Amino acid sequence: MTFVIKNSHKAEPDTRLPPVPHEVNLGDIRLILLPPGDCDFRQVFSVNMFDVNLGQCVCDMAMNSDRYIEESVGTETLGFFPTGTDFRLRTSNPLPGLVLEVGDETLAHWVQSAEINKTRLEGYSDYRREGVAADLGRSAIRYLMRASASRTQVDRLTVEALALGIASRGMAQLACLDDDIDSEINGWTRQARRREIDRAIDLIEARLTDNALSITDLADVACLSSSRFSSVFRSMIGETPYNFILRRRAEYARDLIIGTHEPLAQIAYASGFSSQAHMTVVVRRVFGTTPAALRDG
C-alpha cells in the first residue's frame, strides 16, 4: 500500500494528519498507523506528536525552517515534536510507522506528573533510539491491521494501553538527560508507590489510637491488595505496617507518659494498646526502657 500526503505546497497547511483507515481516536489522544509509502507534506502542528519509526530511512526534512536538509532517521527510534513545530518532510517509508497525537491539556498533565521542566519541550524536535517504544508500536500495528482485516471493532482499552505505553517512553525520553529511560520510569513508579503509601500513613496518623484499624483499611486507601500493600510498605518505609503502627503508638504513649499524670493503664488504652502489659512490651522494644522508667526519668 502506498500512502501519499501532498500537503507541503498549501498556503495554509493542515495542522493535523488527515484521517486514515487505521487509526483510533481516544479523545485527546489519537493513535495513527501510517502504511509504507511516499510522504510529502508540511504541517505546523496544533498537537504534540510522538513518531515511532521502525526502519532506517533517508529523508529531506525541515523543522521550523524553509531549508530542507537530508537526514538519516535510524531504526527503532522515537521522535517528539511539540505543538507549533513547523515540520516539512519528503521521504519514502519502507515500513509502516505509528504516530501518536497528544493534546496540549493531556501533555501538560503528564509534564506536571513527571516533574519535567517545561523548557525542555520548547522547540524540542529529535529522534532517539527507543527499542521498547518500537516493540509497542509493532504490537499496535499488528493489532490494528488484524482488526481491519477481520472487520472487527478494536478494543479501545487495548489501544489505549499501547498508546500510553508509547507515551510513557516518550515522556521519559523528554525527562532524562542521560538516555537511561528505564531508570526514569522506575523512578516514576517509586514516586507513585510512595504517594500510595503516604495516603496509608495519613490514615494511620488519623486513626492511630483506633485498635480497629486494619491492614485491609490501609490497603484500600492505597489502592493495593493487602499482600501487595504490606510488601510495598516494607520496601518503602523499612518496616512492616504492623510494626510501624506499634512504633507510632509507642511514641504517642511516651508523650502522654512524660507530659501528663494519667495512670499508665489509662494511657495504654488511650494509645490504642490492648492492655498496659502490651504497652510495656512495645515501649521497652522501641525505647529500651519501661513506661514507668520513662515517667520517673
Side-chain angles (χ1 to χ4, degrees), residues 70-107:
E70 185 176 279
E71 299 278 358
S72 178
V73 180
T75 60
E76 297 194 339
T77 50
L78 179 63
F80 173 74
F81 306 94
T83 296
T85 300
D86 186 340
F87 186 61
R88 310 179 191 203
L89 180 70
R90 293 194 296 253
T91 189
S92 180
N93 291 317
L95 295 174
L98 201 71
V99 171
L100 182 65
E101 292 184 347
V102 181
D104 287 341
E105 184 176 348
T106 294
L107 190 79

mmCIF file of all heavy atoms in Angstrom, residues 70-107:
data_model
loop_
_atom_site.group_PDB
_atom_site.id
_atom_site.type_symbol
_atom_site.label_atom_id
_atom_site.label_comp_id
_atom_site.label_asym_id
_atom_site.label_seq_id
_atom_site.Cartn_x
_atom_site.Cartn_y
_atom_site.Cartn_z
ATOM 1 N N GLU A 70 19.012 16.887 4.207
ATOM 2 C CA GLU A 70 18.926 15.432 4.135
ATOM 3 C C GLU A 70 19.298 14.838 5.488
ATOM 4 O O GLU A 70 20.363 15.108 6.030
ATOM 5 C CB GLU A 70 19.853 14.889 3.050
ATOM 6 C CG GLU A 70 19.716 13.380 2.849
ATOM 7 C CD GLU A 70 20.567 12.855 1.711
ATOM 8 O OE1 GLU A 70 20.138 12.968 0.552
ATOM 9 O OE2 GLU A 70 21.675 12.360 1.999
ATOM 10 N N GLU A 71 18.392 14.051 6.041
ATOM 11 C CA GLU A 71 18.589 13.437 7.356
ATOM 12 C C GLU A 71 18.423 11.932 7.245
ATOM 13 O O GLU A 71 17.622 11.423 6.457
ATOM 14 C CB GLU A 71 17.558 13.968 8.359
ATOM 15 C CG GLU A 71 17.619 15.466 8.600
ATOM 16 C CD GLU A 71 18.694 15.853 9.605
ATOM 17 O OE1 GLU A 71 19.353 14.921 10.136
ATOM 18 O OE2 GLU A 71 18.884 17.050 9.827
ATOM 19 N N SER A 72 19.187 11.205 8.056
ATOM 20 C CA SER A 72 19.039 9.763 8.154
ATOM 21 C C SER A 72 18.404 9.448 9.504
ATOM 22 O O SER A 72 18.981 9.751 10.555
ATOM 23 C CB SER A 72 20.398 9.069 8.034
ATOM 24 O OG SER A 72 20.260 7.671 8.185
ATOM 25 N N VAL A 73 17.206 8.884 9.472
ATOM 26 C CA VAL A 73 16.497 8.521 10.700
ATOM 27 C C VAL A 73 16.717 7.038 10.951
ATOM 28 O O VAL A 73 16.406 6.202 10.097
ATOM 29 C CB VAL A 73 14.990 8.838 10.593
ATOM 30 C CG1 VAL A 73 14.277 8.439 11.878
ATOM 31 C CG2 VAL A 73 14.786 10.325 10.307
ATOM 32 N N GLY A 74 17.275 6.706 12.107
ATOM 33 C CA GLY A 74 17.666 5.336 12.390
ATOM 34 C C GLY A 74 16.500 4.425 12.697
ATOM 35 O O GLY A 74 15.357 4.852 12.897
ATOM 36 N N THR A 75 16.800 3.122 12.713
ATOM 37 C CA THR A 75 15.785 2.125 13.046
ATOM 38 C C THR A 75 15.408 2.214 14.516
ATOM 39 O O THR A 75 16.212 2.599 15.360
ATOM 40 C CB THR A 75 16.310 0.714 12.756
ATOM 41 O OG1 THR A 75 17.485 0.482 13.545
ATOM 42 C CG2 THR A 75 16.657 0.560 11.299
ATOM 43 N N GLU A 76 14.151 1.843 14.797
ATOM 44 C CA GLU A 76 13.631 1.780 16.172
ATOM 45 C C GLU A 76 13.923 3.071 16.926
ATOM 46 O O GLU A 76 14.546 3.086 17.989
ATOM 47 C CB GLU A 76 14.198 0.574 16.916
ATOM 48 C CG GLU A 76 13.794 -0.752 16.300
ATOM 49 C CD GLU A 76 14.067 -1.932 17.210
ATOM 50 O OE1 GLU A 76 14.903 -1.813 18.123
ATOM 51 O OE2 GLU A 76 13.430 -2.986 17.003
ATOM 52 N N THR A 77 13.442 4.165 16.373
ATOM 53 C CA THR A 77 13.626 5.467 17.018
ATOM 54 C C THR A 77 12.266 6.077 17.332
ATOM 55 O O THR A 77 11.246 5.731 16.737
ATOM 56 C CB THR A 77 14.422 6.425 16.117
ATOM 57 O OG1 THR A 77 13.847 6.438 14.798
ATOM 58 C CG2 THR A 77 15.878 6.016 16.041
ATOM 59 N N LEU A 78 12.297 6.982 18.301
ATOM 60 C CA LEU A 78 11.082 7.678 18.726
ATOM 61 C C LEU A 78 11.353 9.164 18.676
ATOM 62 O O LEU A 78 12.318 9.657 19.275
ATOM 63 C CB LEU A 78 10.697 7.252 20.152
ATOM 64 C CG LEU A 78 9.457 7.917 20.756
ATOM 65 C CD1 LEU A 78 8.210 7.576 19.952
ATOM 66 C CD2 LEU A 78 9.284 7.486 22.217
ATOM 67 N N GLY A 79 10.514 9.873 17.934
ATOM 68 C CA GLY A 79 10.668 11.317 17.813
ATOM 69 C C GLY A 79 9.548 12.045 18.527
ATOM 70 O O GLY A 79 8.433 11.522 18.671
ATOM 71 N N PHE A 80 9.845 13.254 18.959
ATOM 72 C CA PHE A 80 8.825 14.096 19.590
ATOM 73 C C PHE A 80 8.860 15.474 18.960
ATOM 74 O O PHE A 80 9.929 16.050 18.754
ATOM 75 C CB PHE A 80 9.070 14.220 21.093
ATOM 76 C CG PHE A 80 8.140 15.212 21.755
ATOM 77 C CD1 PHE A 80 6.811 14.895 21.963
ATOM 78 C CD2 PHE A 80 8.596 16.464 22.138
ATOM 79 C CE1 PHE A 80 5.938 15.810 22.548
ATOM 80 C CE2 PHE A 80 7.739 17.384 22.731
ATOM 81 C CZ PHE A 80 6.410 17.055 22.941
ATOM 82 N N PHE A 81 7.664 15.999 18.667
ATOM 83 C CA PHE A 81 7.539 17.320 18.076
ATOM 84 C C PHE A 81 6.414 18.058 18.799
ATOM 85 O O PHE A 81 5.256 17.636 18.730
ATOM 86 C CB PHE A 81 7.226 17.203 16.577
ATOM 87 C CG PHE A 81 8.215 16.338 15.845
ATOM 88 C CD1 PHE A 81 7.956 14.988 15.651
ATOM 89 C CD2 PHE A 81 9.400 16.872 15.385
ATOM 90 C CE1 PHE A 81 8.860 14.183 14.995
ATOM 91 C CE2 PHE A 81 10.317 16.072 14.718
ATOM 92 C CZ PHE A 81 10.055 14.720 14.531
ATOM 93 N N PRO A 82 6.731 19.135 19.514
ATOM 94 C CA PRO A 82 5.703 19.830 20.290
ATOM 95 C C PRO A 82 4.771 20.658 19.414
ATOM 96 O O PRO A 82 5.069 20.943 18.242
ATOM 97 C CB PRO A 82 6.520 20.732 21.220
ATOM 98 C CG PRO A 82 7.797 20.985 20.471
ATOM 99 C CD PRO A 82 8.065 19.724 19.688
ATOM 100 N N THR A 83 3.654 21.025 19.997
ATOM 101 C CA THR A 83 2.719 21.922 19.328
ATOM 102 C C THR A 83 3.458 23.154 18.805
ATOM 103 O O THR A 83 4.296 23.727 19.494
ATOM 104 C CB THR A 83 1.627 22.367 20.313
ATOM 105 O OG1 THR A 83 0.875 21.222 20.710
ATOM 106 C CG2 THR A 83 0.692 23.378 19.686
ATOM 107 N N GLY A 84 3.134 23.536 17.580
ATOM 108 C CA GLY A 84 3.750 24.720 16.988
ATOM 109 C C GLY A 84 4.930 24.423 16.101
ATOM 110 O O GLY A 84 5.423 25.314 15.395
ATOM 111 N N THR A 85 5.413 23.174 16.109
ATOM 112 C CA THR A 85 6.541 22.821 15.251
ATOM 113 C C THR A 85 6.142 22.903 13.773
ATOM 114 O O THR A 85 5.132 22.331 13.364
ATOM 115 C CB THR A 85 7.036 21.393 15.551
ATOM 116 O OG1 THR A 85 7.442 21.302 16.911
ATOM 117 C CG2 THR A 85 8.217 21.034 14.656
ATOM 118 N N ASP A 86 6.904 23.623 12.992
ATOM 119 C CA ASP A 86 6.706 23.691 11.539
ATOM 120 C C ASP A 86 7.547 22.565 10.943
ATOM 121 O O ASP A 86 8.773 22.662 10.864
ATOM 122 C CB ASP A 86 7.164 25.058 11.019
ATOM 123 C CG ASP A 86 6.860 25.250 9.533
ATOM 124 O OD1 ASP A 86 6.661 24.233 8.823
ATOM 125 O OD2 ASP A 86 6.842 26.402 9.080
ATOM 126 N N PHE A 87 6.890 21.488 10.514
ATOM 127 C CA PHE A 87 7.586 20.260 10.124
ATOM 128 C C PHE A 87 7.311 19.974 8.663
ATOM 129 O O PHE A 87 6.164 19.871 8.235
ATOM 130 C CB PHE A 87 7.099 19.106 10.993
ATOM 131 C CG PHE A 87 7.848 17.822 10.784
ATOM 132 C CD1 PHE A 87 9.207 17.739 11.037
ATOM 133 C CD2 PHE A 87 7.193 16.682 10.328
ATOM 134 C CE1 PHE A 87 9.905 16.557 10.857
ATOM 135 C CE2 PHE A 87 7.869 15.495 10.140
ATOM 136 C CZ PHE A 87 9.234 15.423 10.401
ATOM 137 N N ARG A 88 8.386 19.820 7.884
ATOM 138 C CA ARG A 88 8.283 19.512 6.464
ATOM 139 C C ARG A 88 9.074 18.231 6.194
ATOM 140 O O ARG A 88 10.195 18.078 6.686
ATOM 141 C CB ARG A 88 8.825 20.664 5.614
ATOM 142 C CG ARG A 88 8.243 22.009 6.010
ATOM 143 C CD ARG A 88 8.803 23.140 5.181
ATOM 144 N NE ARG A 88 8.428 24.433 5.761
ATOM 145 C CZ ARG A 88 8.371 25.568 5.079
ATOM 146 N NH1 ARG A 88 8.656 25.580 3.794
ATOM 147 N NH2 ARG A 88 8.032 26.697 5.674
ATOM 148 N N LEU A 89 8.500 17.348 5.409
ATOM 149 C CA LEU A 89 9.119 16.045 5.197
ATOM 150 C C LEU A 89 8.852 15.537 3.788
ATOM 151 O O LEU A 89 7.719 15.589 3.312
ATOM 152 C CB LEU A 89 8.554 15.035 6.207
ATOM 153 C CG LEU A 89 9.095 13.603 6.112
ATOM 154 C CD1 LEU A 89 10.552 13.560 6.562
ATOM 155 C CD2 LEU A 89 8.242 12.666 6.957
ATOM 156 N N ARG A 90 9.915 15.051 3.153
ATOM 157 C CA ARG A 90 9.795 14.337 1.886
ATOM 158 C C ARG A 90 10.589 13.040 2.029
ATOM 159 O O ARG A 90 11.816 13.069 2.252
ATOM 160 C CB ARG A 90 10.346 15.171 0.716
ATOM 161 C CG ARG A 90 9.547 16.420 0.406
ATOM 162 C CD ARG A 90 9.927 16.992 -0.954
ATOM 163 N NE ARG A 90 11.307 17.431 -0.987
ATOM 164 C CZ ARG A 90 11.697 18.719 -0.996
ATOM 165 N NH1 ARG A 90 10.783 19.682 -0.944
ATOM 166 N NH2 ARG A 90 12.967 19.031 -1.048
ATOM 167 N N THR A 91 9.902 11.921 1.927
ATOM 168 C CA THR A 91 10.591 10.643 2.105
ATOM 169 C C THR A 91 9.748 9.513 1.536
ATOM 170 O O THR A 91 8.579 9.702 1.175
ATOM 171 C CB THR A 91 10.873 10.368 3.600
ATOM 172 O OG1 THR A 91 11.727 9.240 3.726
ATOM 173 C CG2 THR A 91 9.575 10.105 4.358
ATOM 174 N N SER A 92 10.355 8.334 1.480
ATOM 175 C CA SER A 92 9.644 7.112 1.145
ATOM 176 C C SER A 92 9.882 6.125 2.282
ATOM 177 O O SER A 92 11.017 5.711 2.517
ATOM 178 C CB SER A 92 10.161 6.534 -0.175
ATOM 179 O OG SER A 92 9.464 5.340 -0.496
ATOM 180 N N ASN A 93 8.823 5.799 3.006
ATOM 181 C CA ASN A 93 8.948 4.927 4.167
ATOM 182 C C ASN A 93 8.901 3.462 3.729
ATOM 183 O O ASN A 93 7.911 3.019 3.150
ATOM 184 C CB ASN A 93 7.811 5.191 5.150
ATOM 185 C CG ASN A 93 7.928 6.545 5.809
ATOM 186 O OD1 ASN A 93 9.011 6.947 6.207
ATOM 187 N ND2 ASN A 93 6.813 7.259 5.924
ATOM 188 N N PRO A 94 9.940 2.686 4.037
ATOM 189 C CA PRO A 94 9.940 1.275 3.640
ATOM 190 C C PRO A 94 9.046 0.411 4.519
ATOM 191 O O PRO A 94 8.607 -0.653 4.096
ATOM 192 C CB PRO A 94 11.413 0.874 3.801
ATOM 193 C CG PRO A 94 11.939 1.791 4.867
ATOM 194 C CD PRO A 94 11.209 3.087 4.682
ATOM 195 N N LEU A 95 8.785 0.868 5.747
ATOM 196 C CA LEU A 95 7.996 0.102 6.706
ATOM 197 C C LEU A 95 6.845 0.948 7.233
ATOM 198 O O LEU A 95 6.873 2.184 7.155
ATOM 199 C CB LEU A 95 8.875 -0.339 7.885
ATOM 200 C CG LEU A 95 10.007 -1.323 7.589
ATOM 201 C CD1 LEU A 95 10.842 -1.531 8.838
ATOM 202 C CD2 LEU A 95 9.446 -2.647 7.092
ATOM 203 N N PRO A 96 5.807 0.307 7.771
ATOM 204 C CA PRO A 96 4.746 1.093 8.416
ATOM 205 C C PRO A 96 5.318 1.907 9.582
ATOM 206 O O PRO A 96 6.357 1.568 10.159
ATOM 207 C CB PRO A 96 3.769 0.027 8.930
ATOM 208 C CG PRO A 96 4.086 -1.207 8.167
ATOM 209 C CD PRO A 96 5.550 -1.143 7.854
ATOM 210 N N GLY A 97 4.635 2.963 9.910
ATOM 211 C CA GLY A 97 5.011 3.785 11.054
ATOM 212 C C GLY A 97 3.809 4.016 11.945
ATOM 213 O O GLY A 97 2.666 3.653 11.603
ATOM 214 N N LEU A 98 4.061 4.602 13.082
ATOM 215 C CA LEU A 98 2.984 4.854 14.033
ATOM 216 C C LEU A 98 3.170 6.240 14.622
ATOM 217 O O LEU A 98 4.273 6.611 15.048
ATOM 218 C CB LEU A 98 3.012 3.811 15.148
ATOM 219 C CG LEU A 98 1.701 3.627 15.929
ATOM 220 C CD1 LEU A 98 0.656 2.940 15.056
ATOM 221 C CD2 LEU A 98 1.939 2.804 17.186
ATOM 222 N N VAL A 99 2.092 7.013 14.633
ATOM 223 C CA VAL A 99 2.121 8.364 15.170
ATOM 224 C C VAL A 99 1.095 8.476 16.290
ATOM 225 O O VAL A 99 -0.028 7.963 16.162
ATOM 226 C CB VAL A 99 1.816 9.405 14.068
ATOM 227 C CG1 VAL A 99 1.625 10.787 14.671
ATOM 228 C CG2 VAL A 99 2.939 9.431 13.047
ATOM 229 N N LEU A 100 1.504 9.126 17.345
ATOM 230 C CA LEU A 100 0.611 9.371 18.477
ATOM 231 C C LEU A 100 0.455 10.871 18.651
ATOM 232 O O LEU A 100 1.423 11.587 18.940
ATOM 233 C CB LEU A 100 1.194 8.748 19.752
ATOM 234 C CG LEU A 100 0.359 8.870 21.033
ATOM 235 C CD1 LEU A 100 -0.946 8.097 20.891
ATOM 236 C CD2 LEU A 100 1.149 8.354 22.232
ATOM 237 N N GLU A 101 -0.777 11.357 18.420
ATOM 238 C CA GLU A 101 -1.080 12.771 18.646
ATOM 239 C C GLU A 101 -1.606 12.943 20.063
ATOM 240 O O GLU A 101 -2.470 12.190 20.508
ATOM 241 C CB GLU A 101 -2.147 13.258 17.671
ATOM 242 C CG GLU A 101 -1.713 13.317 16.220
ATOM 243 C CD GLU A 101 -2.795 13.908 15.328
ATOM 244 O OE1 GLU A 101 -3.951 14.041 15.792
ATOM 245 O OE2 GLU A 101 -2.485 14.233 14.173
ATOM 246 N N VAL A 102 -1.078 13.944 20.765
ATOM 247 C CA VAL A 102 -1.482 14.211 22.155
ATOM 248 C C VAL A 102 -1.815 15.683 22.291
ATOM 249 O O VAL A 102 -1.004 16.550 21.939
ATOM 250 C CB VAL A 102 -0.362 13.831 23.157
ATOM 251 C CG1 VAL A 102 -0.817 14.100 24.579
ATOM 252 C CG2 VAL A 102 0.038 12.371 22.980
ATOM 253 N N GLY A 103 -2.994 15.976 22.807
ATOM 254 C CA GLY A 103 -3.410 17.357 23.006
ATOM 255 C C GLY A 103 -2.611 18.050 24.088
ATOM 256 O O GLY A 103 -1.999 17.414 24.964
ATOM 257 N N ASP A 104 -2.623 19.381 24.046
ATOM 258 C CA ASP A 104 -1.828 20.163 25.000
ATOM 259 C C ASP A 104 -2.245 19.923 26.446
ATOM 260 O O ASP A 104 -1.393 19.880 27.345
ATOM 261 C CB ASP A 104 -1.959 21.655 24.676
ATOM 262 C CG ASP A 104 -1.189 22.045 23.419
ATOM 263 O OD1 ASP A 104 -0.291 21.283 23.020
ATOM 264 O OD2 ASP A 104 -1.493 23.106 22.846
ATOM 265 N N GLU A 105 -3.539 19.780 26.701
ATOM 266 C CA GLU A 105 -4.007 19.612 28.081
ATOM 267 C C GLU A 105 -3.481 18.304 28.675
ATOM 268 O O GLU A 105 -3.000 18.285 29.816
ATOM 269 C CB GLU A 105 -5.536 19.646 28.120
ATOM 270 C CG GLU A 105 -6.103 19.579 29.532
ATOM 271 C CD GLU A 105 -7.618 19.709 29.551
ATOM 272 O OE1 GLU A 105 -8.197 20.082 28.511
ATOM 273 O OE2 GLU A 105 -8.219 19.447 30.611
ATOM 274 N N THR A 106 -3.584 17.236 27.907
ATOM 275 C CA THR A 106 -3.092 15.948 28.391
ATOM 276 C C THR A 106 -1.586 15.970 28.584
ATOM 277 O O THR A 106 -1.065 15.495 29.600
ATOM 278 C CB THR A 106 -3.463 14.825 27.406
ATOM 279 O OG1 THR A 106 -4.891 14.692 27.387
ATOM 280 C CG2 THR A 106 -2.861 13.497 27.827
ATOM 281 N N LEU A 107 -0.853 16.546 27.617
ATOM 282 C CA LEU A 107 0.598 16.603 27.749
ATOM 283 C C LEU A 107 1.004 17.435 28.961
ATOM 284 O O LEU A 107 1.937 17.069 29.688
ATOM 285 C CB LEU A 107 1.233 17.171 26.487
ATOM 286 C CG LEU A 107 2.759 17.040 26.475
ATOM 287 C CD1 LEU A 107 3.157 15.621 26.092
ATOM 288 C CD2 LEU A 107 3.417 18.041 25.537
#
